[in-house]
Amino acid sequence: MISDIQTSRLPADAGVLVLAAGKGTRMHSPLPKVLQKLLDKPMLWYLLYMLSSTFNSRPMVVTGHGRSLVEQSCVGFDADFIFQEQQLGTGHALQVAWNKVLQHGFSWLVVINGDTPLAQSQQIRTLLEYTRENNADIGLVSLTLEDPASYGRVLRFADNSVKAVIEAKDYNSELDGGDTREINSGLYVFKVSTLGKILFELDSDNKQQELYITQLISLAQKSGMRVDALNAGTCPELMGINTPRELLGQEEYIRGFIVDEFIEQGVIIRSPGMVRIGPEVIIEPGAEICGPVEIYGQSRITSRSSIASNCYIEDSFIDGGQVFCFSHIEKSVIGPDTKVGPYARLRPGTEMQGGSRAGNFVEIKNSQVGAGSKINHLSYIGDTTMGEGVNVGAGTITCNYDGRLKHRTTVEDGVFIGSNTALVAPVLLQRGSMIAAGSTITRDVLQNSLGIGRSRQKNLEGRSPLKKFKNQEKSD
Ligand code: UD1
Ligand code: CA
């Protein structure tokens, strides 16, 4: 869905390094910061998705805090991890990666903060071109913000080249020459041949006692190198995420972007402000969705499908079906003219074939429901293969678990199951058979047979304990 995929990749002499080792103290969360989610994907997913289609080489990723969690979250991407055991600062992260950068033999190195997940391919391309054309040693993207907050401030010389980036904590507007609202976005390009000359000169002589990547700019100046900054205005995509508020702000930005794209393409989305659609979801024009709703993972929703409010859908294929309010659907397939909900739960492995129905308070798991079959009320169907035209009465339960193993239930075409039936698996109901209401079925029921599994009813005359009508004549 994210439409930033470019047709051509950058030349192979440019590599990319993502700085993702920090803890993210300001998030107040045990989760490594780059694993905080925007919609259903961690921050780092967005960057790797974009970078994999931008560069010819694998993105290098510096990990540290929560290293194994971060690495696990990148499965599906071809990334090259570099371990920064102690997080001594962004400059230190670059030092730790240096040998790997040299091994690759890149001429240009793009470095991006892992907490800037919505950066776009085009922004990297433009920065790289600009830096090459200016024959600069370092290029960076700056932003001009109303409130420069905790960002590093960009200071320029009269000829517009960059003099220094001073971190917010070290910045003194009087000493540093008037307040600047131009800040460093954390997206850089370095000429590899000159970077090596200054990279190991970094010191931690600053308020945070860290090795700052931004000190490279002053070091470059002192060595007679050129540093240029490309100003991208207020560019919301390049805002860093350090706090819960910033996380939610960036999430809202990408959420609105995705929803808007679908509306533009012809999907009817009602209450769009309350619709959350993940970046990998596909929705065809002609589908209809009403918020609030969440649709995630690799879900696909074709035209003629409709999703009512308060539903949660993940990794599912809705192929022309209708999903009514308050339904929860995971890893399931909903075929044409199928109706699901309200209040239905389809768990992984459910396949509802054309014209079938799962009504209110129905849970289905790992089961195929044949065309036109109906499970309308209050049922649990698990590990079941159900044929076509089956009618499942209210309160039917498959007892698929014996405490040790799961067993399958098979219900053939045209079976009628009376209400409040327990089907004790493994069990087979053959074509056209019927089950009496209230049965507990433990043995297979043969074709066209009636299965009854309950004790016979007795009526004991005059034995009702209720006194009220005792002495009245029986009415005729
Ligand atoms: C950084 C910049 C600042 C810029 C801002 C833009 C520095 C010193 N400052 O500040 O000028 O305006 O980004 O968003 O770089 N990281 C590591 N290893 C470390 C420390 C950090 O990999 O030892 C990673 C973090 O995981 C994070 C990124 O580097 O993804 C940036 O670090 P962070 O601490 O967020 O820097 P800022 O203070 O935001
Ligand atoms: Ca940051």
Side-chain angles (χ1 to χ4, degrees):
M1 172 61 220
I2 290 184
S3 52
D4 187 45
I5 299 176
Q6 303 286 322
T7 42
S8 67
R9 288 165 197 251
L10 286 169
D13 68 342
V16 61
L17 179 70
V18 181
L19 307 185
K23 182 168 188 277
T25 316
R26 288 170 278 176
M27 293 300 300
H28 302 283
S29 162
L31 205 61
K33 183 165 71 175
V34 291
L35 295 190
Q36 294 289 349
K37 286 182 176 174
L38 305 181
L39 302 166
D40 61 332
K41 298 279 190 261
M43 283 189 211
L44 193 53
W45 183 93
Y46 291 85
L47 267 188
L48 293 178
Y49 181 84
M50 180 274 288
L51 296 174
S52 328
S53 62
T54 304
F55 287 86
N56 262 300
S57 56
R58 302 193 285 171
M60 295 173 282
V61 182
V62 181
T63 59
H65 183 80
R67 173 200 190 185
S68 53
L69 278 180
V70 173
E71 294 184 7
Q72 278 162 30
S73 80
C74 297
V75 287
F77 291 106
D78 195 12
D80 197 356
F81 296 103
I82 299 154
F83 182 40
Q84 185 192 15
E85 197 169 354
Q86 279 184 292
Q87 291 88 54
L88 304 179
T90 46
H92 179 248
L94 181 51
Q95 288 179 344
V96 169
W98 186 239
N99 276 340
K100 190 137 270 172
V101 173
L102 292 180
Q103 279 164 24
H104 280 284
F106 297 125
S107 306
W108 298 94
L109 178 68
V110 173
V111 177
I112 185 161
N113 284 349
D115 61 1
T116 316
L118 303 182
Q120 303 284 296
S121 193
Q122 196 49 49
Q123 290 155 351
I124 293 177
R125 281 163 202 274
T126 311
L127 176 65
L128 191 59
E129 263 168 43
Y130 173 81
T131 311
R132 272 186 212 262
E133 273 169 22
N134 284 7
N135 197 26
D137 298 278
I138 303 178
L140 60 102
V141 176
S142 65
L143 306 175
T144 301
L145 301 182
E146 216 30 64
D147 173 16
S150 64
Y151 289 101
R153 311 295 207 275
V154 175
L155 307 185
R156 295 195 188 240
F157 287 119
D159 73 350
N160 230 17
S161 68
V162 179
K163 181 178 169 194
V165 169
I166 312 284
E167 292 310 305
K169 285 188 177 141
D170 302 296
Y171 183 69
N172 178 329
S173 70
E174 277 169 29
L175 290 180
D176 293 320
D179 205 0
T180 164
R181 292 187 295 115
E182 187 175 18
I183 61 96
N184 164 31
S185 71
L187 170 57
Y188 319 84
V189 170
F190 294 94
K191 190 188 277 177
V192 174
S193 57
T194 50
L195 175 58
K197 295 180 186 153
I198 52 174
L199 181 57
F200 292 90
E201 286 176 26
L202 294 176
D203 61 51
S204 54
D205 186 13
N206 53 57
K207 284 262 164 62
Q208 300 188 88
Q209 299 187 313
E210 285 182 3
L211 299 178
Y212 290 161
I213 198 171
T214 45
Q215 194 196 353
L216 289 169
I217 291 150
S218 341
L219 290 173
Q221 285 304 342
K222 284 180 197 141
S223 314
M225 299 177 192
R226 184 177 174 93
V227 184
D228 274 306
L230 186 64
N231 189 282
T234 51
C235 188
E237 290 124 355
L238 285 175
M239 303 286 283
I241 296 177
N242 302 295
T243 62
R245 188 174 295 284
E246 287 166 354
L247 177 77
L248 300 176
Q250 290 306 81
E251 181 182 67
E252 186 52 23
Y253 178 81
I254 186 68
R255 189 202 63 74
F257 176 86
I258 292 173
V259 168
D260 215 59
E261 287 272 287
F262 281 124
I263 294 173
E264 198 57 37
Q265 288 165 16
V267 180
I268 297 174
I269 301 186
R270 301 177 196 277
S271 297
M274 291 193 283
V275 173
R276 298 166 62 87
I277 301 173
E280 287 191 301
V281 172
I282 296 170
I283 307 179
E284 291 178 2
E288 199 167 328
I289 289 163
C290 181
V293 85
E294 292 178 86
I295 307 173
Y296 294 139
Q298 297 191 333
S299 294
R300 186 172 151 219
I301 298 173
T302 66
S303 60
R304 298 185 303 109
S305 301
S306 68
I307 315 289
S309 62
N310 295 290
C311 291
Y312 178 96
I313 297 175
E314 188 181 321
D315 289 325
S316 293
F317 179 33
I318 320 289
D319 186 15
Q322 281 175 277
V323 181
F324 299 121
C325 298
F326 294 100
S327 296
H328 191 282
I329 296 165
E330 252 181 297
K331 293 189 168 61
S332 294
V333 176
I334 296 181
D337 305 315
T338 294
K339 293 187 168 84
V340 171
Y343 297 98
R345 176 167 185 211
L346 304 190
R347 288 168 52 201
T350 298
E351 189 188 337
M352 305 286 301
Q353 289 166 4
S356 60
R357 173 95 177 88
N360 34 274
F361 305 105
V362 168
E363 174 182 349
I364 308 179
K365 183 213 80 172
N366 190 27
S367 296
Q368 292 77 50
V369 177
S373 290
K374 295 184 169 59
I375 311 161
N376 272 329
H377 336 265
L378 299 156
S379 285
Y380 169 61
I381 302 295
D383 302 312
T384 296
T385 306
M386 189 180 290
E388 298 182 2
V390 172
N391 200 312
V392 178
T396 296
I397 307 290
T398 53
C399 311
N400 56 331
Y401 183 52
D402 63 10
R404 245 173 9 102
L405 297 170
K406 299 270 170 69
H407 301 280
R408 285 202 76 82
T409 298
T410 306
V411 182
E412 293 184 353
D413 294 348
V415 168
F416 184 102
I417 303 173
S419 297
N420 196 26
T421 292
L423 300 170
V424 183
V427 72
L428 163 70
L429 310 183
Q430 285 189 348
R431 284 173 81 86
S433 60
M434 185 175 204
I435 308 300
S439 292
T440 297
I441 298 295
T442 54
R443 288 186 291 137
D444 294 353
V445 181
L446 300 185
Q447 196 162 326
N448 303 326
S449 303
L450 172 66
I452 309 178
R454 63 180 188 223
S455 55
R456 186 174 286 276
Q457 178 177 338
K458 281 185 226 162
N459 287 347
L460 305 179
E461 214 170 305
R463 295 275 294 277
S464 164
L466 302 178
K467 298 198 171 65
K468 198 169 172 193
F469 301 105
K470 225 158 196 166
N471 301 321
Q472 283 179 18
E473 285 295 310
K474 236 174 147 189
S475 61
D476 39 7

